[in-house]
Amino acid sequence: MFDINIFDVIIEDMSDRVDLILGQWRRERPDVNIEPLGLVNRILALAKHLEDRSNEALAPFGLQLWQYDVLSALRRAGPEYVLSPSELCRVSTLSCGAMTHRLDRLEEAGLVRREPDPSDRRGLRIRLTEAGRTCIDAALGPRVAQAARFSEALPVEDRSVLTELLRRLLLSCDRSAATEPDPTSAASRRRRTGRPRSRVRAPQTAPMWAPDGLPDVSASAPHIHPS
């Protein structure tokens, strides 16, 4: 008889590159429990796969995923397909500066239009143009089809379970982010360093456009991709 554990064979056949990373860390640092990296690294690896495949699906429409995200947010807003810049930042988790740059490029392409906010003379609104609506409506089908191909690797029951588990993780992360102080804020820096706020003012420069007419002083934040 062969001394083979069929479970070991199955696990070996199902090993992925994250298993290799974890195995190497177990060998090099057996004193550290690196198991949490298994979940996190797989989510990060899948995110890269999904972004690449999504960009491929959107390429025929002249879009990248970041462009699709902005157009999608405006389209989902419903008639009149208008949002404020700050609302777009919240939906996409982008900083004001990053959103400004992306809106510049979308406006140059004729897909969105900036216009004055009638309720706030210092504010702006972003409107989806007719060309932008046509583009996002055409791109939606291939975007959904790409997502369907990705999920076909799992049975329907497993997809439902995974969706619920990921929802719990996302809600937990969102709640944590909402209660944690912004590490880039001046108050947070003073708490970390113990240094009082400097009274010396930096030279004034022309501020970039930002939501509601306020100057932009923020750095770019990681981007997730709601559809």
Side-chain angles (χ1 to χ4, degrees):
M1 293 180 63
F2 294 101
D3 186 17
I4 295 178
N5 187 323
I6 189 62
F7 184 77
D8 290 339
V9 173
I10 293 174
I11 292 299
E12 182 178 355
D13 289 344
M14 295 178 64
S15 295
D16 59 19
R17 50 190 158 122
V18 175
D19 289 315
L20 175 62
I21 293 171
L22 299 183
Q24 292 170 333
W25 274 125
R26 291 189 194 100
R27 182 192 68 229
E28 297 298 318
R29 290 295 305 273
D31 57 309
V32 177
N33 176 19
I34 47 80
E35 297 309 318
L37 288 179
L39 174 63
V40 172
N41 282 0
R42 286 186 175 92
I43 291 176
L44 290 173
L46 285 170
K48 180 63 169 62
H49 272 302
L50 289 171
E51 183 167 3
D52 290 344
R53 301 293 83 76
S54 296
N55 281 327
E56 290 174 4
L58 296 171
F61 308 95
L63 296 177
Q64 293 182 337
L65 191 53
W66 67 264
Q67 295 167 309
Y68 173 92
D69 286 346
V70 175
L71 299 181
S72 174
L74 290 167
R75 180 66 174 87
R76 297 194 314 268
E80 307 169 341
Y81 311 113
V82 171
L83 290 173
S84 70
S86 56
E87 288 171 330
L88 279 173
C89 288
R90 284 194 295 270
V91 169
S92 64
T93 72
L94 285 173
S95 71
C96 300
M99 180 58 72
T100 297
H101 175 67
R102 295 183 177 198
L103 290 175
D104 287 343
R105 295 176 62 180
L106 288 169
E107 191 168 33
E108 290 171 4
L111 300 176
V112 304
R113 181 174 65 251
R114 290 182 174 101
E115 57 186 34
D117 187 341
S119 63
D120 181 359
R121 65 180 182 178
R122 297 196 313 162
L124 289 172
R125 303 194 307 175
I126 310 302
R127 182 182 297 276
L128 186 67
T129 65
E130 189 62 35
R133 182 180 174 184
T134 299
C135 182
I136 190 64
D137 282 351
L140 178 62
R143 174 82 168 99
V144 173
Q146 180 273 327
R149 287 192 297 273
F150 166 78
S151 62
E152 286 173 355
L154 295 175
V156 175
E157 297 79 6
D158 289 354
R159 295 177 214 170
S160 299
V161 173
L162 180 59
T163 297
E164 179 57 31
L165 294 175
L166 290 174
R167 179 183 292 112
R168 293 183 198 175
L169 277 176
L170 181 57
L171 286 171
S172 176
C173 290
D174 285 347
R175 292 190 191 103
S176 297
T179 57
E180 291 174 357
D182 181 358
T184 65
S185 69
S188 295
R189 290 196 297 272
R190 289 197 298 276
R191 283 194 295 270
R192 291 197 306 269
T193 63
R195 284 184 262 176
R197 179 171 55 185
S198 172
R199 295 182 180 275
V200 178
R201 293 189 176 183
Q204 296 296 311
T205 58
M208 295 178 62
W209 169 88
D212 306 318
L214 298 175
D216 171 42
V217 293
S218 60
S220 178
H223 185 204
I224 59 175
H225 302 288
S227 295

